[in-house]
Amino acid sequence: MTIEEILAGESKNVEFKENLPEKSIKYMKSVVAFANGIGGKIIFGIVDKTREVVGFDKEDVFKKMDSITNAVSDSCEPAIIPNITLQTVEGKTIIVVEVSEGRQRPYYIKALGRDGGVYVRVAGTTRLADEYMIKELLFEGSNRYYDQALCTGLNITDENIDALCKAMKEQAVKNAHNEEQKASIKDVGRQQLRSWGILIERDGKDYPSNAFAILTGNGGLHVATQCGVFKGTTKAVFVDRREYTGPLWEQIDEAFQFVLRNIHLGATIVGIYRQDIYEIPPDAIRELIINAMVHRSYLDHGTIQVAVYDNRLEITSPGKLPMGQTMGRMKEGYSKIRNEALAHAFAYMNLIEHWGSGIPRIIDKVKDAGLREPEFIGGEVDLRINIYRGQDAPNDFNDLNNANKVPDTTEELPDTTNKVPDSADKVPNTMKKMPDSSDRVPDTTEELPDNEQEQQIYKYVSENGSITTAETVELLEVKHRRARTILMNMVKDGYLRKKGAARSTIYVKNTEGR
């Protein structure tokens, strides 16, 4: 223990004790908490508040070391073997008890039992673990994954399984990076779902795992994503809020479009083209949402929260970091999978690429956009990641189209040469030719659809230039599937024309006539 470490004070994994307490339980809770976390040190012989080094007399310091060893051995279950050493600081002898991260979780105090004796570290303090945390520790200690466990109470049919396989294939094609990758996608079948842990085969019959329930939005687990826009930099004043449920891939799209609708869109001119640029890179936003989905704790009944403030985008994922993971290792690209079945499913659907590469890629994209490096907070109860906007954004965002926040797709300019991306999982900086004096004059005698919902959509497109599926959902207050059906019917009937592909798809008026 160096003098610099002492002056830094207590932290989430360092605790000071002036003396050796008569009742060992006063420090045994911290021993257990360190073993259940990332490890830590208890330093005996330093005053907590003043950080004064008082030390121990050399005559009885070894006796105190033996007392600590015996207390840990007698009090903890499973067995914890700390590393106990003596150090000299400022000419005084202190006792350093170092507890390593444990692998046989949960650790608890024998006298209190597993129900009342499991402790964890939260924000530099030792706290009694709640029911969710104990379950999380149990899965970690047995090297199992919650998402691969049997989902009790959920009954599925062959049709349910086939529907999931079909939906996953559709997502894989939709998110393919290029035509070559799209052509290489194979059908996903029951055997593949079993090998991933999405299905559990027993006596020749398939049963759903928790991953099946989570992916499809069924099973009573209430997996949801909460999105909100707040005035200022706190949650004091709501501007807008939404809660999205259903299949995970739909929640990802809905949360992603929500953010794009509520951040600024600037522009720059490249030659004769106008290039639209969001103040936060869309790729980074989407990867951040996907990362939260695949790595959150589904034992924790909380929801992923996506919050847009005046100065930042904040995404909060429920659950502590998994065993063996730290903030530093995560930012370096070290992958520690919490939900193995979901990770396999997301990889198949081209939602994630190389495991562990997401966070470094997000950091690079944000920094390349001229923004400060994302901020990582927590990790003991939940994980919060902030991407800052506002004055950190490029100057372009203070110049063009920023009087109000804009929707996720921009108003169409009178040109048909929009460049369509070949990457299905990225929202690009769309390139649009600047208008000239030959802009088309709207036809005021055009025929309107007979259906009331289609009339609402047609009016919206006439006023705004285009509409997306997400905007249709909000306009009509219908589900995504219904919105897509209505839009495709309008395309079929000649009222609208579809432009773009995958996530950049928009619907515009069909100016070629019906």
Side-chain angles (χ1 to χ4, degrees), residues 115-246:
D115 291 338
V118 178
Y119 287 85
V120 293
R121 296 286 286 186
V122 178
T125 62
T126 297
R127 299 184 188 178
L128 187 65
D130 59 21
E131 184 180 358
Y132 131 73
M133 186 65 75
I134 293 173
K135 288 181 180 178
E136 188 88 60
L137 293 169
L138 277 167
F139 274 99
E140 288 182 342
S142 57
N143 199 28
R144 295 181 297 132
Y145 299 93
Y146 171 74
D147 68 331
Q148 292 180 333
L150 180 68
C151 182
T152 57
L154 175 61
N155 296 314
I156 58 172
T157 64
D158 290 344
E159 288 75 16
N160 297 143
I161 298 172
D162 292 341
L164 176 59
C165 291
K166 181 181 177 182
M168 289 178 64
K169 172 73 177 293
E170 289 174 352
Q171 287 298 311
V173 172
K174 179 181 178 181
N175 298 324
H177 291 39
N178 49 55
E179 291 301 321
E180 183 180 357
Q181 186 183 36
K182 187 182 296 185
S184 68
I185 295 170
K186 299 179 181 178
D187 291 342
V188 60
R190 291 170 181 249
Q191 187 55 47
Q192 191 68 70
L193 296 185
R194 293 183 196 121
S195 69
W196 292 341
I198 296 173
L199 289 178
I200 299 171
E201 185 181 20
R202 291 183 180 177
D203 300 324
K205 185 177 179 181
D206 288 317
Y207 295 89
S209 70
N210 289 321
F212 189 103
I214 292 165
L215 280 169
T216 59
N218 297 317
L221 298 179
H222 187 64
V223 176
T225 304
Q226 292 181 333
C227 298
V229 180
F230 302 91
K231 184 176 181 180
T233 58
T234 70
K235 285 188 168 72
V237 181
F238 261 114
V239 175
D240 187 21
R241 70 173 116 189
R242 296 282 190 276
E243 180 173 292
Y244 300 113
T245 56

Side-chain angles (χ1 to χ4, degrees), residues 252-263:
I252 291 168
D253 282 344
E254 288 162 336
F256 176 56
Q257 295 296 339
F258 181 92
V259 174
L260 293 188
R261 288 195 300 274
N262 289 286
I263 61 174

Side-chain angles (χ1 to χ4, degrees), residues 293-322:
M293 290 282 184
V294 76
H295 291 299
R296 64 155 288 183
S297 168
Y298 288 94
L299 275 163
D300 188 324
H301 296 307
T303 60
I304 290 173
Q305 295 185 333
V306 179
V308 180
Y309 298 90
D310 286 354
N311 70 331
R312 70 191 186 279
L313 166 66
E314 178 182 276
I315 297 180
T316 305
S317 179
K320 70 180 186 66
L321 292 177

Side-chain angles (χ1 to χ4, degrees), residues 67-81:
S67 296
I68 295 170
T69 302
N70 293 333
V72 173
S73 177
D74 294 341
S75 303
C76 303
E77 186 74 32
I80 297 173
I81 304 175

Side-chain angles (χ1 to χ4, degrees), residues 407-425:
D408 55 336
T409 53
T410 56
E411 185 176 273
E412 186 201 17
L413 295 175
D415 180 74
T416 58
T417 60
N418 292 344
K419 298 184 183 290
V420 178
D422 59 2
S423 174
D425 68 338

Side-chain angles (χ1 to χ4, degrees), residues 367-399:
K367 291 169 68 176
D368 288 346
L371 303 175
R372 58 188 271 195
E373 184 172 319
E375 180 181 35
F376 295 77
I377 303 171
E380 295 165 321
V381 175
D382 55 25
L383 175 63
R384 180 168 299 166
I385 302 178
N386 291 328
I387 298 180
Y388 283 88
R389 51 195 295 240
Q391 64 266 32
D392 289 332
N395 291 332
D396 290 337
F397 301 108
N398 299 319
D399 299 330

